[in-house]
Amino acid sequence: MNSREAAKMGDILATEADLLGMIKEYLKFEEFEETVHSFDKECQSKGKLVSKPRGSALRDSKTRKDLLSSFDDGDHKVFFELWTENIPSEVKDTDAEALSLEFYLHIHFTIYPLRRHPGRHDRAEFEERISYFKQYLETRGAALSQTTEFLSYYALPFVPNPTAHPSFKNLFQDSWIPELRDKLEQFLSVTLKPSNTPRLMTLYVSFYYASLRKAMQQLQLQLVESDRRITSYVRKFSKMQADYQNLIGITAELVDSLEATVSGKMISPEYLQSVYVRLFSSQTRQSVVQSTDFTRPGTASSMLRFSIAPQRPKDVPMLPSLDYEKLKKDLADGADRLKSLLLQALRWRLTRSLPGEQRDTVLQAYISNDLLERYSTKQKIVLHLLRSTNEIVRQYMARLINAFASLAEGRAYLSQIPILLKLLTEVLRKEDKESLTRENVLVALQKLSLRRSQQTAMIADDLIGWLVDELQDSDCLSDNTLEYSAALLMNLCLRTKGKKCAENGKHVLKVLTDLLGHENHEIRPYVNGALYSILCIPSVRQEAKEMSVEEILRCYSREENPDLNRQFEFIIKQLNSAEEEGPESDDEEEEDDNDEDLMETDLDKEEVLQPQHRELSGESLLTTEYLGIMTNMAKVKRKSTPLPQPSVDEPLQRPVTPSSHRNTSVGGEGSLPPSRYNSRPPTRSGSRPSTADSLRHSIGGWLSPYEGRARKGRSQEEHNGHSASQPKIPRTPDTPANQNSAHRSRGSALAPQFSQSEPQQNSRPGSANSTGGVGSGGRHILRVGTQHQTVLANSGTSWLLDLPC
């Protein structure tokens, strides 16, 4: 062993002895006498050295002595180094006495060369100290510049000979230094008072508060960003509200005009022009509106449709290609911090890329270059990072797998890796409940459960039993973990093999019925789906009857939630059915995973890894150190096949994920821009729309998506209250888009149609062939569709109108 290795070994042993000494000191402090005795005995038997506790009194005494010694010697560098290390920051940064003393100490060390050699000044050393004093005045000393006591001393750096200046005469008196030294001694005796707190506890407290400060800084940044977003949303909402009020006024006038045309009254082009100007003034520049010729047929309607038409996507640049071989090598053999940074950067490439071609190209590059080493024959592959001893590496590997599982092509790739499920379930069972690693693994498994082959493997691995035990203690789970656990359990129970795995029916039923009372109502669709599914087994139905499950459901159905009540009715109907357990379900061999992309916004939440100063991270790390040549392979993404949309009336009977469930609950009719080819909106009668409904539908797409969602909720409520037929069970529990599709087949919406012909002289209101127009000579006639009666509601008053063709 050479001298360097010997020195290193000596440092390790000294550190170990010091650590053991701190442990013993803490045990003594807490009076664990028997434990201390056993600890000493075991350390002695193993030949471990235990350092003696370095008493804080002894340590503080030495610090005081060193500070006073460097004060007497005029050694400002040593003094302020000791001052910074040993005086608590809450004292030296906030205590008025400490700030004042520090100011005078700086003056003492600045003029020390002038006092040491009164006859011959050491000019070079004095200039150096003046420079140091200036720096202090501009930083820590700046806080005292408004205090009269210290104001004159701010001129000290600019006085050529301070010894002769009257303002600084007192600094060179014989009594000034002893007085300052006494003040310093008193301050140190109070501040460095011996403490009985063990060093281990002191270390823990300092680490805890450092972590707390860092967390507070992160929360502060998030708060600022949230405030910025709120301001933006409030501004958008205010504009939307103003537009909505404007549209209501215009709509009322247009309805009046429509009534007038039915009565045979003429509408002037000038009036229509004024309506159009008001309609478009908030959306288009005033000069453009004034110069537009709205007398041309279809101009206004074309402008309206153009305003809601989907914008052509801009050309999105492709991200640079990477050297995947070098990436995989460093992921396998690099330092833990480098591995974590690379896993983070690779995930960000997926989560922060733009949806569509850019993200598809990134994912295809990962798959075609076998990033997770599906086809590798090496002993140590990238996926083995899930078994890393470093918690951050494990967590960031789990986050990357979750990002893969969020995309349909990524799930297809993951499902081809035989060892993956074993690794994921291993992590699931070993990690702590609060661990982000465990949460990401659970979410990834839930997304993978959309694929039938993965469901089969999870059922075979008894994941259902584990989930039931996990959900039994639901109060200890985060909302996200609870939601994804319930959704995963439901997906597995939908399979015939999964239903059979619920052998302990009483235990499963107890857990599921308890979950119905949980304060997190987001889990109810999945709990209902699992209940409905397992109740097809006769033995489980019998146990449910013994447990009075029907009474439990009726107890919960008292809440004002008609959708939930109807789901309970379906479950009760299943409970009371006398059907024997059927064969394998029809969809056991169906193609699974309908190509949904489920990329959540919170995949990058709570980043524990922050780059250090000048440390490369994210895209800059990838493009600086791992730039490759032509590893991005563009591929046309397979178009997803939409499944039938679900009804909220029935429990879920197809696999879903919480993210897809939430997304479809937000979508709906607002996503379809109204046009002459679109359907009529759903109405209470289920057939003909009212005039107000038609007008509202026509302008709906012009409003912000938020208003579209509000309208969707109202039409959904109406539909649910009057639906007579039982819809098919879809993969996700939202209906409006499909409700519209039923109406869409009935023909085009009631929309104005223009004719170039002149009005007939013998036309009259109410006749089958009558037309209402704006005049002759090139003017255009508005035709209204088939005759029917419509109720128009406005300001609490109703009119019955006959709208003839």
Side-chain angles (χ1 to χ4, degrees):
M1 183 184 296
N2 57 38
S3 58
R4 183 178 296 177
E5 290 175 344
K8 186 177 180 181
M9 182 61 70
D11 290 341
I12 292 171
L13 291 173
T15 304
E16 184 184 67
D18 201 28
L19 181 59
L20 292 172
M22 283 192 282
I23 294 170
K24 183 177 178 180
E25 180 187 20
Y26 176 76
L27 292 173
K28 279 187 173 182
F29 176 78
E30 297 290 354
E31 298 181 354
F32 291 113
E33 300 298 339
E34 292 182 12
T35 308
V36 170
H37 179 71
S38 300
F39 181 78
D40 283 336
K41 188 176 179 181
E42 192 163 357
C43 285
Q44 192 173 359
S45 66
K46 291 185 175 181
K48 299 288 186 183
L49 294 174
V50 180
S51 67
K52 293 181 179 179
R54 294 181 296 188
S56 57
L58 181 63
R59 183 171 64 250
D60 293 341
S61 174
K62 184 177 184 305
T63 302
R64 280 200 299 275
K65 183 179 177 182
D66 290 342
L67 280 165
L68 292 171
S69 175
S70 55
F71 175 88
D72 295 335
D73 296 338
D75 192 342
H76 66 285
K77 291 182 180 177
V78 172
F79 181 90
F80 284 112
E81 188 176 328
L82 290 168
W83 180 272
T84 304
E85 287 178 0
N86 294 280
I87 306 300
S89 57
E90 60 269 19
V91 174
K92 67 172 180 276
D93 293 340
T94 57
D95 184 73
E97 184 185 352
L99 291 169
S100 172
L101 179 61
E102 185 180 358
F103 191 93
Y104 284 118
L105 287 168
H106 274 281
I107 293 175
H108 162 69
F109 288 112
T110 302
I111 64 173
Y112 183 80
L114 303 181
R115 294 183 62 91
R116 184 176 54 179
H117 305 293
R120 54 175 189 82
H121 298 165
D122 192 338
R123 199 69 197 173
E125 187 179 354
F126 178 64
E127 290 294 341
E128 179 189 344
R129 295 192 180 218
I130 280 289
S131 175
Y132 189 81
F133 184 55
K134 276 185 185 177
Q135 185 181 352
Y136 164 73
L137 293 177
E138 292 168 1
T139 52
R140 288 181 59 79
L144 300 174
S145 61
Q146 304 303 317
T147 308
T148 308
E149 179 186 353
F150 306 106
L151 195 56
S152 60
Y153 297 114
Y154 282 81
L156 180 61
F158 308 101
V159 176
N161 186 10
T163 56
H165 198 283
S167 299
F168 309 124
K169 185 178 179 182
N170 64 316
L171 300 179
F172 296 95
Q173 292 178 356
D174 294 338
S175 61
W176 190 77
I177 287 184
E179 288 174 2
L180 181 61
R181 193 180 194 280
D182 288 342
K183 286 183 181 179
L184 174 63
E185 222 168 340
Q186 290 174 13
F187 174 78
L188 293 177
S189 64
V190 174
T191 307
L192 299 179
K193 187 165 56 180
S195 171
N196 293 325
T197 306
R199 286 178 294 161
L200 192 61
M201 186 178 287
T202 305
L203 282 174
Y204 173 77
V205 169
S206 61
F207 174 76
Y208 172 76
Y209 281 111
S211 302
L212 195 61
R213 278 195 297 272
K214 188 175 180 181
M216 288 293 290
Q217 289 169 358
Q218 290 290 328
L219 289 172
Q220 190 67 31
L221 291 173
Q222 291 176 20
L223 183 62
V224 170
E225 177 64 17
S226 298
D227 287 342
R228 186 189 66 78
R229 289 181 181 176
I230 287 170
T231 304
S232 172
Y233 293 150
V234 168
R235 192 165 53 247
K236 289 178 182 177
F237 175 73
S238 299
K239 185 179 183 304
M240 181 190 76
Q241 209 169 28
D243 288 345
Y244 175 73
Q245 291 170 352
N246 182 41
L247 284 170
I248 290 296
I250 294 171
T251 303
E253 289 190 26
L254 289 175
V255 171
D256 290 341
S257 303
L258 187 59
E259 287 182 293
T261 60
V262 172
S263 304
K265 295 179 182 178
M266 310 297 285
I267 298 175
S268 68
E270 292 76 20
Y271 170 73
L272 281 179
Q273 179 78 12
S274 68
V275 170
Y276 295 148
V277 168
R278 287 168 55 203
L279 187 60
F280 293 105
S281 60
S282 63
Q283 301 294 318
T284 315
R285 292 195 307 273
Q286 195 69 22
S287 59
V288 175
V289 174
Q290 295 288 356
S291 62
T292 303
D293 181 12
F294 289 109
T295 60
R296 293 178 57 195
T299 300
S301 60
S302 298
M303 287 182 68
L304 281 171
R305 292 190 185 100
F306 179 77
S307 69
I308 61 168
Q311 299 296 315
R312 289 185 60 189
K314 298 178 181 177
D315 290 335
V316 178
M318 293 298 103
L319 296 173
S321 297
L322 303 177
D323 184 347
Y324 286 92
E325 292 307 314
K326 184 181 178 185
L327 265 170
K328 287 186 277 190
K329 184 178 183 302
D330 285 354
L331 282 171
D333 304 325
D336 284 340
R337 183 166 183 83
L338 176 60
K339 290 176 184 177
S340 302
L341 287 167
L342 287 175
L343 291 169
Q344 182 187 58
L346 291 166
R347 167 167 49 87
W348 283 354
R349 260 211 168 197
L350 273 180
T351 58
R352 299 185 179 185
S353 56
L354 297 174
E357 188 179 359
Q358 190 182 66
R359 181 173 289 166
D360 295 342
T361 305
V362 170
L363 180 61
Q364 191 54 42
Y366 286 179
I367 294 171
S368 59
N369 291 282
D370 195 19
L371 179 63
L372 300 182
E373 299 186 303
R374 150 76 179 89
Y375 302 104
S376 175
T377 56
K378 296 185 295 186
Q379 290 292 321
K380 189 165 69 170
I381 62 174
V382 172
L383 279 173
H384 285 155
L385 293 178
L386 284 170
R387 291 173 173 166
S388 170
T389 55
N390 185 287
E391 198 277 332
I392 296 179
V393 173
R394 293 198 308 276
Q395 181 192 134
Y396 277 51
M397 186 68 237
R399 284 175 180 255
L400 179 61
I401 292 171
N402 188 8
F404 264 91
S406 301
L407 303 171
E409 296 288 344
R411 292 193 291 277
Y413 173 60
L414 292 176
S415 65
Q416 298 170 16
I417 306 177
I419 195 176
L420 178 66
L421 275 183
K422 179 185 175 183
L423 289 171
L424 292 179
T425 53
E426 183 181 288
V427 171
L428 202 60
R429 290 179 166 109
K430 284 184 178 179
E431 290 282 341
D432 294 335
K433 284 192 175 184
E434 297 81 12
S435 163
L436 274 174
T437 307
R438 185 177 189 260
E439 182 178 310
N440 276 275
V441 164
L442 176 66
V443 174
L445 282 168
Q446 204 284 325
K447 293 169 184 174
L448 285 170
S449 71
L450 292 176
R451 299 190 67 84
R452 201 160 300 283
S453 61
Q454 302 304 293
Q455 292 172 7
T456 303
M458 291 179 202
I459 292 168
D461 199 24
D462 191 29
L463 201 55
I464 289 179
W466 183 88
L467 286 167
V468 172
D469 291 341
E470 183 77 1
L471 289 167
Q472 187 176 10
D473 195 12
S474 58
D475 290 336
C476 296
L477 304 177
S478 67
D479 285 344
N480 210 37
T481 300
L482 180 63
E483 202 172 333
Y484 276 91
S485 296
L488 176 56
L489 177 62
M490 185 200 75
N491 285 358
L492 299 182
C493 284
L494 291 176
R495 292 288 300 279
T496 303
K497 292 175 182 175
K499 295 169 192 173
K500 290 177 179 176
C501 280
E503 294 173 354
N504 189 354
K506 193 165 289 187
H507 178 51
V508 177
L509 288 168
K510 174 72 168 58
V511 170
L512 291 175
T513 51
D514 285 349
L515 286 173
L516 289 174
H518 198 278
E519 61 184 9
N520 184 351
H521 292 182
E522 298 293 332
I523 65 173
R524 284 186 173 178
Y526 317 121
V527 175
N528 289 343
L531 268 174
Y532 185 84
S533 182
I534 64 172
L535 284 173
C536 74
I537 300 175
S539 60
V540 177
R541 285 202 298 269
Q542 185 58 39
E543 288 178 328
K545 290 173 183 176
E546 293 172 5
M547 291 173 61
S548 303
V549 168
E550 181 174 351
E551 286 72 18
I552 294 171
L553 293 175
R554 293 201 183 281
C555 176
Y556 286 123
S557 67
R558 290 175 187 168
E559 297 182 19
E560 295 300 321
N561 190 334
D563 298 337
L564 182 68
N565 295 345
R566 282 190 289 273
Q567 288 188 11
F568 285 160
E569 290 301 327
F570 274 98
I571 296 171
I572 291 169
K573 185 178 178 182
Q574 176 81 305
L575 171 63
N576 293 323
S577 70
E579 294 178 5
E580 292 298 316
E581 184 182 349
E584 290 282 302
S585 56
D586 298 336
D587 60 345
E588 286 292 319
E589 301 303 325
E590 264 186 20
E591 180 61 32
D592 52 342
D593 197 343
N594 71 329
D595 297 344
E596 280 184 290
D597 285 346
L598 314 166
M599 190 73 77
E600 302 98 337
T601 55
D602 58 355
L603 272 170
D604 297 329
K605 70 174 182 178
E606 298 180 41
E607 294 283 359
V608 294
L609 184 66
Q610 299 296 333
Q612 296 171 355
H613 182 58
R614 294 187 178 179
E615 183 178 39
L616 293 173
S617 65
E619 193 62 23
S620 60
L621 171 62
L622 296 178
T623 53
T624 303
E625 301 292 339
Y626 299 93
L627 204 59
I629 301 173
M630 295 299 289
T631 54
N632 285 346
M633 304 294 290
K635 179 183 177 182
V636 178
K637 186 177 180 181
R638 189 173 41 148
K639 203 167 185 179
S640 63
T641 306
L643 290 168
Q645 289 301 308
S647 163
V648 291
D649 291 353
E650 298 187 28
L652 295 170
Q653 295 181 38
R654 292 193 64 90
V656 299
T657 69
S659 53
S660 67
H661 189 182
R662 285 191 292 264
N663 290 343
T664 52
S665 297
V666 174
E669 71 180 37
S671 60
L672 288 172
S675 74
R676 61 188 297 178
Y677 305 106
N678 279 358
S679 68
R680 298 172 179 173
T683 62
R684 289 188 182 276
S685 63
S687 58
R688 295 174 179 171
S690 69
T691 304
D693 282 343
S694 297
L695 289 167
R696 194 179 296 115
H697 183 62
S698 299
I699 64 174
W702 200 49
L703 295 176
S704 125
Y706 303 109
E707 178 64 21
R709 291 174 192 170
R711 288 199 315 279
K712 182 207 75 171
R714 290 194 294 271
S715 62
Q716 172 67 46
E717 183 181 343
E718 293 169 3
H719 177 79
N720 287 342
H722 298 271
S723 174
S725 61
Q726 179 178 321
K728 292 184 180 179
I729 297 304
R731 179 173 293 219
T732 54
D734 197 41
T735 59
N738 291 286
Q739 293 165 0
N740 285 348
S741 65
H743 292 281
R744 191 175 298 121
S745 62
R746 299 176 189 172
S748 62
L750 182 64
Q753 298 181 5
F754 295 95
S755 168
Q756 299 296 331
S757 64
E758 297 292 335
Q760 301 300 314
Q761 297 299 319
N762 61 352
S763 64
R764 61 181 179 83
S767 66
N769 298 321
S770 71
T771 60
V774 293
S776 59
R779 293 173 185 168
H780 310 293
I781 299 146
L782 178 67
R783 296 186 186 277
V784 182
T786 57
Q787 179 175 352
H788 61 277
Q789 289 187 338
T790 303
V791 175
L792 171 64
N794 189 2
S795 304
T797 309
S798 297
W799 298 277
L800 187 63
L801 304 180
D802 283 323
L803 301 184
C805 179

